[in-house]
Amino acid sequence: MSSIINDEKQEFVSEFVNSSRELLDDVEPQIIALEKSSDAYGELDPEILNTIFRLFHTLKGTAAFVDLQTITSVTHEAETLLDIFRKEKVSLQTEHIDLLCRTSDFIRNILDTVESQLDDKGFENIASEIVVDLKNTIAAVSLETGGGQKLSPGNFNGGAAPATVKAAVDKSAGSPVEKPSTEKPSAENFEEENNFEEELKLIITPEMKARFTQETGELCEEAELMLLAFERVPDNLELAANAFRALHSIKGNAGFFGFIELEKISHSTENILDSLRNGAKQPDKNIMSVILTSIDYIRNGAKKINVNASIDAGETATLAAALESLNNENINSTKKDNNSLSDKVSAIIGPEGAESDDIKNGLESENSDGQIRPNDAGAKDIQKSSAASMASTSQFIRIDTEKLDSLLDLVGEMVIAESMVANCPDLKGLQLEKFEKAIHHLNKITRDIQETALAMRMIPLSSTFHKMERLVRDLSNKFNKKIKLEIAGEETEVDKTIIEQISDPLVHVIRNSIDHGLESNEERVKAGKPSAGTIRIEAKHSAGEVWIIIEDDGRGLNREKIIKKAVENSLIKGDGSELKDEEVWKLIFEPGFSTAEKVSNISGRGVGMDVVRRNIEKIRGRVDIKTQKDAGTMIILRIPLTLAIIDGMEIKVGSARYIIPIGSIRQSFKTMHDKISHTPDGTEIVNVRGELLPVIRLHDMYNIKSLYTKLEEGLLIIVENNEKKCCLFVDELIGQQQIVIKGLSNYLGHVRGVSGCAIMGDGEVSLILDIGDLISSVELSATA
Amino acid sequence: MSINEKIRNNNTMLDDDMDEEMEDTQEDKYLTFVLNREEYGIEIKHVIEIIGIQNITSVPDMPHYIKGVINLRGKVIPVMDVRIRFNINEQAYNERTCIIVITVSEQLVGLIVDEVSEVLDIPKTNVEPSPKVNRGEGSKFVQGMGKVGDAVKILLNADKLLFEEDLEKIAAL
């Protein structure tokens, strides 16, 4: 277990280091811009100031999360300093800029060590040096503002500065219960904080909100993962501590943005987590459920904030009450918490008491030098630091998906353009040896670029899989079934669009497995199985496809039951006894099909599996079922690696050209007259080695004048979709090639039997045939 | 093609400037084109560019006036023969036939017209409401009649042109 923790820690830390480097890279230019703006206009640009503040704040939050005290402490002080600048019209000194640069340089230095050592040992001295310097500056500056305050009471930002000073005085007066406002808003300063947030609200940009939502989402996910692991291994308090830290960061962010509801809930949740990580409380189901609910609440709340929707007040109240009752449940343990908390508080406040002494000292030797002197040394420092930022290489960058998509579009264009050059009609019949060589080379490079571009959109399935842990846990409680979830192959990468599409099907399949597949614990014991059921999710690559396998060791599908239900719902004709097993299993995907006697709030309405099939078909995948009575069911989602490119066979009907995805072609052949029979309704049936297949005449279907009208003159192509086969009648095959799929314009709506289009080598557009749709449209007309 | 340049200028302004200015420069400007010897105008704000006629891939199950799709530098866009849309008899395409690429509600659509004339300023004061005589297919797409000197241009409502259902189709249901 400890090695796993180490691995996880490694992962967190390297993520932290990467994101911190990014943040530092952002911070430095901003610091310089700040100095420039102050040089130029004599006052600080609030926009830049806020950006720097935010960046440091984020650094602080993430550093706290991976337990890097040195970074947390420096950034905290830097934040305090910036906060003063933000609230007060304080003139910026070169020393301030130097100090900020020093802070960011220090953090950057630490990061390198942290990356290799996983901790920040050995930097405490430098850190405390910086902290002391920062504190001195803060003292000097707040002094200056205190003075300025008296002189100009009309200052519209008035409220906050006395508060800082007051808080500092309170602390020095030895009332250690009062916590610094960034740590925990106590009742007393809550109102002030609100005012301060009112001011802040004005400057929260949509981008900031989006970032908040994203970060909160990520943190929620982490917290959730940790909690679920913690529930399994309640002895490992480190896990609870990790969750605690994640929530703490959320709280900090929410507080910073002034999202009071979120702050409140995360605060209460944090309290509970605190008692969990101290071992004061045991993680029973009740507590865990409440915590998980509040994490959901926070996640949704953050999403709502992003779209400017308001958070349901009733929900907030209920949740707050639940959390409160949990917090009060065990008075003894909470008391203990309070004690330990206040210990911590006094520990934090201790040094700050000293700081307020500094303030007093500073008050006497007032320094109101407001001039800003350009300082060469400072500029040099900055140059140095930006050079350093160039040197340290980061492994990841964040890219807007829109940019990726447009790159992919362009690459698609390039592939087309390349083949337009290669197949240029002007070159026909010419002997161009060198040209051929060059074009071959170009072709290879284009393919490589295409592959790389596609790979950039690939992301691992792990986060999708880990979301299922939560689902399984919730359902296991709901149904009172003990369930073990196994996950394998989570590192398998698939296209981003696919990830978005498979989450829902996965949920439905797992729900079904738990509700219908797995027996109750007693039944399992009776059947000689281990009492806890197992759900296994696995992802793997298999011949150009990704397979996502969901397997349970439950009772398996029941052929008789399914057939009975299908007959009742008249989904099949006759008694179904002649159906192959596979065909029977396929019935569970029919909309409205459910064998459940009772509709529960989890499943039984017969919607889920229909969703599974639809979503998977949307991404050109298919669903296979393997099942064995009393041994379990295995559902395989087979999904193509990418949605953007397929191998297609170009065919010709008259002057029109179409593309058939290679995957659905079985065979093409010329037929003889005696192999064809006509049914009374006009359908033509071809006998292919004993198999009778209906013929779809593409030219009839699409009203085109074709070269051939007799079946034996043209070409028949056997196509297959979902194990249904038919023959397409076409004039001729042109050839196979890779094509980039494009959607047909929305303006045209859905076109019968067409799934999209592609631009061919000669720049013309060809339609891609949707074989599944073609076959079902033929079936429809047959039943009608 | 000078008209294309004008359009491009308009569109770059569209990118650069804020809304008001954009309204200013786009207001009252129309791209005029010929259809069966009649002059029509369409608001310049809808127009992306003008291209010559090119190979059209026909798409099944479409109304007659949708001729199919074309490849506009990698984008696949549908094209509509405005003649057929207006129930004017079809005519073979020639070297003057143009496709006006317009965008309405984020849809790119090409309009096949006999020929493109020019970009004109027609102030609102010179636009009269279309006469309320409901005759023929085309009249329901008319937004107003623009007077330019002695000539009259029929100003089209691009939105209706693209999205108005066929009356026949509705009647058939």
Side-chain angles (χ1 to χ4, degrees), chain A residues 643-660:
Chain A
L643 298 178
I645 294 176
I646 56 165
D647 276 316
M649 176 66 77
E650 201 180 354
I651 55 145
K652 206 170 171 181
V653 183
S655 57
R657 291 182 302 178
Y658 298 96
I659 292 157
I660 305 174

Side-chain angles (χ1 to χ4, degrees), chain A residues 702 742 747 752 763-765, chain B residues 55 57 60-61 71 74 107 162:
Chain A
Y702 291 145
K742 292 188 181 275
Y747 182 66
R752 187 169 46 113
E764 277 189 46
V765 184
Chain B
N55 270 335
T57 305
D61 298 346
N71 167 17
Q107 296 285 355
L162 258 52

Side-chain angles (χ1 to χ4, degrees), chain A residues 527-540:
Chain A
K529 293 183 189 179
S531 70
T534 305
I535 302 261
R536 191 185 146 80
I537 322 177
E538 187 187 347
K540 64 176 181 189

Side-chain angles (χ1 to χ4, degrees), chain B:
Chain B
M1 194 179 270
S2 68
I3 292 176
N4 252 338
E5 267 161 34
K6 273 191 199 170
I7 293 166
R8 217 166 294 135
N9 285 340
N10 246 308
N11 285 342
T12 42
M13 266 183 226
L14 209 148
D15 288 341
D16 293 346
D17 297 322
M18 294 317 294
D19 298 345
E20 302 157 35
E21 207 141 332
M22 172 183 104
E23 295 284 310
D24 276 356
T25 54
Q26 296 234 305
E27 195 98 311
D28 301 336
K29 277 207 169 87
Y30 293 86
L31 174 71
T32 59
F33 57 88
V34 180
L35 213 60
N36 207 21
R37 271 173 259 126
E38 201 72 64
E39 288 259 353
Y40 291 83
I42 191 162
E43 277 177 276
I44 200 88
K45 68 172 183 200
H46 296 299
V47 180
I48 302 292
E49 66 177 308
I50 300 159
I51 51 177
I53 192 76
Q54 47 184 280
N55 270 335
I56 300 172
T57 305
S58 67
V59 177
D61 298 346
M62 286 295 131
H64 280 302
Y65 53 82
I66 300 293
K67 297 301 279 185
V69 288
I70 55 164
N71 167 17
L72 179 73
R73 289 188 307 279
K75 281 202 190 90
V76 177
I77 62 168
V79 286
M80 170 195 289
D81 191 323
V82 187
R83 271 180 169 262
I84 310 177
R85 182 70 163 147
F86 289 174
N87 264 353
I88 305 168
N89 54 332
E90 266 188 272
Q91 174 194 300
Y93 302 143
N94 55 34
E95 72 277 4
R96 308 188 88 168
T97 309
C98 281
I99 299 179
I100 304 174
V101 181
I102 63 167
T103 170
V104 180
S105 313
E106 292 178 12
Q107 296 285 355
L108 281 178
V109 177
L111 303 176
I112 305 173
V113 300
D114 291 359
E115 68 186 274
V116 167
S117 322
E118 59 192 322
V119 177
L120 277 182
D121 266 310
I122 308 179
K124 278 194 192 67
T125 47
N126 287 0
V127 178
E128 305 239 333
S130 59
K132 288 267 172 281
V133 200
N134 199 356
R135 224 180 278 152
E137 261 313 283
S139 60
K140 63 174 182 258
F141 310 119
V142 177
Q143 183 169 292
M145 312 296 278
K147 291 179 288 185
V148 181
D150 289 339
V152 173
K153 318 274 171 189
I154 303 162
L155 307 181
L156 295 177
N157 181 328
D159 194 44
K160 285 202 171 140
L161 184 64
L162 258 52
F163 298 106
E164 186 93 346
E165 286 283 329
D166 267 282
L167 287 178
E168 301 157 40
K169 226 190 212 169
I170 295 165
L173 284 175

Side-chain angles (χ1 to χ4, degrees), chain A residues 41 180 311 362 464 494 552 560 566 583 695:
Chain A
Y41 308 110
I311 299 170
T464 315
V494 296
D552 67 60
E560 287 73 41
E583 289 169 316
V695 175

